[in-house]
Amino acid sequence: MKITVVGAGAVGATTADNIIRRELAEEVVLLDIKEGVSEGKSLDMYQTAALLGFNTKPVGSTNDYEKTKGSDVVVITSGLPRKPGMTREELIGINAGIVKGVTENILKYSPDAIIIVVSNPMDTMTYLALKESGIAKEKLIGMGGALDSARFKTYLALAMNASPLDIHGMVIGGHGDTTMIPLTRLATYNGLPVSNFLSTDELEKVAADTMVGGATLTKLIGTSAWYAPGAATLLLVESIVRDQKRIVPCSVYLEGEYGQNDICMGVPVVLGRKGWEKIIKLELTDSEKAAFEKSAEAVRSMNGALNL
Ligand code: NAI
């Protein structure tokens, strides 16, 4: 198994670090355009092997795609992150060029790779990568719902003074502050509806906090977050590499599912060795369906900016 992570910034390096600690691949390549950064961070990570006890050696590459040759899974994190006050959507101009170029280079050396897109605005970048590359839709997966769901579960746990491990919940729709849909109705605490434990007002606050979860961190830190994004990306990589068939909300190409066509948006999918293997159909209420439709409109208008 060979895994490449493009972009050795905050999210890319954290993802690569998580991958090598779990020994998910024999080879892990970390690639960046900044001279020396991926090599330096790879060496720094490898120096934790003797301390933490793992055997995978990461390899850094300054824009040399030959080193990525034959990758089974590629994670794209290259691109600008948000600064305080910015939306993910404002990143589109610069990141579209970066994601397009990176996808082309990756496929030159790894035509069969499963690609995970992290760069923002993620749903549009996933759509762009799919349209530009023409690869099978099952091999193109956008990471957003895994992170938003983790934030949702954390806010629920904090509100209930419970462990996040005991909470199940999902966020679907677009990966944007106003487009994501925390499915409060379906969230459970050890199998019981969370509405047994929290009032409607409290649940609404959890949903609202989840939706601006990224912006809250960007304001506090001064740039966008990386620990939870890196862990959420690991969840996707691990389920694919180990063929775990985890159900994770991911941005995938819809052809009629959830009433949408020709768009990448967050829906629950089964992740396994072939990529996303199946879309799980949830029975949504009328108001959830309306929220999904509104979210799709916003994602579609963002895609329109690409003139594809
Ligand atoms: P960062 O600025 O720390 O790292 C980005 C890296 O990409 C830099 O090291 C830069 O040199 C590199 N890069 C730029 N152009 C490149 C190219 N053409 N080829 C290779 N490398 C290139 O940013 P950070 O915080 O790691 O975020 C990365 C992206 O991920 C951003 O677009 C951010 O908005 C997005 N993000 C998405 C999340 C999601 O849930 N989908 C969560 C968190 C961040």
Side-chain angles (χ1 to χ4, degrees):
M1 185 66 57
K2 179 166 176 175
I3 301 173
T4 288
V5 179
V6 181
V11 177
T14 308
T15 301
D17 192 32
N18 287 333
I19 291 170
I20 58 168
R21 285 187 196 202
R22 292 238 184 177
E23 300 183 315
L24 290 184
E26 286 75 46
E27 273 188 273
V28 176
V29 177
L30 183 61
L31 181 146
D32 202 286
I33 39 165
K34 275 190 215 143
E35 189 75 40
V37 169
S38 60
E39 288 86 346
K41 288 199 180 181
S42 296
L43 184 57
D44 187 15
M45 279 176 214
Y46 197 40
Q47 287 167 0
T48 69
L51 299 162
L52 300 174
F54 61 84
N55 261 312
T56 306
K57 181 181 173 197
V59 174
S61 163
T62 303
N63 231 18
D64 176 4
Y65 279 85
E66 189 128 15
K67 288 200 177 139
T68 69
K69 193 174 176 177
S71 294
D72 299 286
V73 179
V74 176
V75 180
I76 301 179
T77 74
S78 45
L80 290 190
R82 289 201 276 178
K83 294 287 170 214
M86 276 177 96
T87 65
R88 295 173 178 92
E89 287 74 15
E90 285 174 74
L91 302 167
I92 187 168
I94 291 171
N95 287 358
I98 294 175
V99 169
K100 188 167 175 260
V102 166
T103 309
E104 278 165 14
N105 282 322
I106 281 298
L107 289 171
K108 233 182 266 171
Y109 292 95
S110 307
D112 299 322
I114 292 169
I115 298 180
I116 299 173
V117 177
V118 179
S119 312
N120 273 319
M122 182 276 296
D123 299 291
T124 297
M125 293 301 109
T126 306
Y127 182 76
L128 169 72
L130 185 71
K131 290 284 165 177
E132 290 290 339
S133 67
I135 67 170
K137 62 178 181 176
E138 293 79 9
K139 291 186 164 180
L140 223 308
I141 303 163
M143 192 292 288
L147 172 63
D148 299 331
S149 301
R151 287 180 173 153
F152 182 38
K153 289 181 229 183
T154 307
Y155 280 119
L156 281 168
L158 288 170
M160 293 194 286
N161 195 21
S163 162
L165 291 175
D166 287 334
I167 302 198
H168 278 83
M170 220 187 282
V171 177
I172 61 169
H175 175 61
D177 293 357
T178 55
T179 59
M180 69 179 77
I181 307 162
L183 290 175
T184 307
R185 180 180 62 90
L186 299 177
T188 58
Y189 177 39
N190 266 331
L192 299 164
V194 290
S195 55
N196 287 14
F197 305 92
L198 294 173
S199 67
T200 306
D201 282 356
E202 286 169 325
L203 286 171
E204 275 172 10
K205 181 167 182 337
V206 164
D209 286 346
T210 302
M211 293 175 80
V212 294
T216 301
L217 294 175
T218 303
K219 204 169 152 202
L220 287 168
I221 304 170
T223 186
S224 82
W226 55 89
Y227 292 117
T233 309
L234 174 75
L235 169 66
L236 272 61
V237 173
E238 185 164 32
S239 188
I240 292 166
V241 167
R242 298 209 200 277
D243 200 24
Q244 289 173 332
K245 318 280 190 202
R246 300 283 308 268
I247 295 176
V248 185
C250 294
S251 188
V252 299
Y253 190 66
L254 301 179
E255 291 178 300
E257 299 91 349
Y258 287 82
Q260 299 300 327
N261 259 304
D262 193 31
I263 191 167
C264 290
M265 274 180 78
V267 293
V269 294
V270 176
L271 290 179
R273 196 54 205 88
K274 296 191 188 105
W276 66 265
E277 300 184 347
K278 188 178 164 190
I279 292 177
I280 302 294
K281 179 132 183 21
L282 299 172
E283 285 306 325
L284 300 182
T285 62
D286 286 348
S287 68
E288 289 161 352
K289 277 185 198 155
F292 200 87
E293 179 61 43
K294 196 163 157 246
S295 180
E297 269 167 35
V299 172
R300 201 164 269 123
S301 98
M302 183 59 45
N303 293 350
L306 294 172
N307 295 320
L308 282 170

